[in-house]
Amino acid sequence: MSSAEKTTGKANILSTEPAARQATRWYAAGVFPGKEHVAERHLRIQGFQPFVPRCEKTVRHARRLETRVAAYFPGYMFIAIDIALQRWRSINGTFGVRSLVMQADRPLPVPSGLVERFIALTGRHGLLDFSGGLAAGASVRILSGPFAEMIGRLDRLDPAGRARVLVAIMNGEIPVDLDARELVAIA
């Protein structure tokens, strides 16, 4: 092969790299219980980009309550793969991984935008934060459900995304438990 052919071949490879990055999709993989960190480490060593959404979980152990960081979807993780270019079958043999979620003989991609949304909701400590800028004491509007379009005061918000709103009804404040996604802060 002449040097001109080598250069042309290299130029073709370089010109296809941006298109290859666009073909990268997120796929779900089943992992062994509690082994998300092991699978994540071994996948990174192989050159894959894994993502495990995490949250704080309160666990009772030996008559004590402990707050631990745990996977939001226990037993599952997400991996960015370009199945046309990467050797994705090696994922099934990775320590900690049971297998990719498959459809027939191909990995089944996660719906577009789902993992990106989880990444956007990940806070600076690596935990999912569903608060969306909401803070206790703030005035909020309820978006859906039987209390839709009512205004209340946010009493509390837990890391799992549940909120307690005090709604003014009949000369009193009634506590209503809602999903934080059903609320929007108002000025």
Side-chain angles (χ1 to χ4, degrees):
M1 181 181 283
S2 71
S3 62
E5 290 173 344
K6 287 180 187 176
T7 307
T8 306
K10 188 181 269 188
N12 289 340
I13 291 170
L14 294 176
S15 66
T16 60
E17 282 183 2
R21 286 191 193 110
Q22 293 172 355
T24 300
R25 295 279 313 264
W26 288 98
Y27 296 85
V31 296
F32 291 106
K35 300 295 182 187
E36 290 88 359
H37 62 285
V38 172
E40 192 174 21
R41 185 180 68 220
H42 286 279
L43 286 166
R44 285 191 197 285
I45 290 170
Q46 293 178 52
F48 293 104
Q49 180 187 355
F51 175 68
V52 180
R54 291 185 166 90
C55 63
E56 288 186 332
K57 183 178 180 182
T58 303
V59 179
R60 183 181 198 93
H61 179 70
R63 292 187 226 154
R64 290 188 323 226
L65 291 176
E66 294 179 1
T67 302
R68 298 179 182 171
V69 174
Y72 192 74
F73 302 109
Y76 289 94
M77 69 184 325
F78 301 105
I79 306 167
I81 309 169
D82 182 346
I83 60 171
L85 296 178
Q86 291 180 297
R87 298 179 58 154
W88 58 267
R89 292 183 194 275
S90 66
I91 293 171
N92 292 336
T94 302
F95 286 117
V97 177
R98 285 187 315 218
S99 70
L100 285 165
V101 175
M102 305 287 282
Q103 181 177 25
D105 64 340
R106 306 289 287 179
L108 181 66
V110 175
S112 296
L114 179 71
V115 177
E116 290 83 357
R117 179 73 175 140
F118 283 129
I119 292 170
L121 289 171
T122 302
R124 64 177 185 262
H125 298 294
L127 303 175
L128 290 176
D129 180 15
F130 292 106
S131 66
L134 298 173
S139 294
V140 294
R141 178 184 309 275
I142 301 171
L143 298 175
S144 63
F147 299 100
E149 299 305 317
M150 294 189 82
I151 301 204
R153 184 172 49 88
L154 184 61
D155 183 39
R156 71 172 182 230
L157 183 66
D158 68 15
R162 296 296 299 167
R164 174 163 287 168
V165 177
L166 301 174
V167 180
I169 299 176
M170 299 186 327
N171 295 328
E173 288 186 324
I174 311 261
V176 178
D177 290 329
L178 301 165
D179 192 312
R181 293 176 294 203
E182 297 175 7
L183 302 174
V184 65
I186 58 174

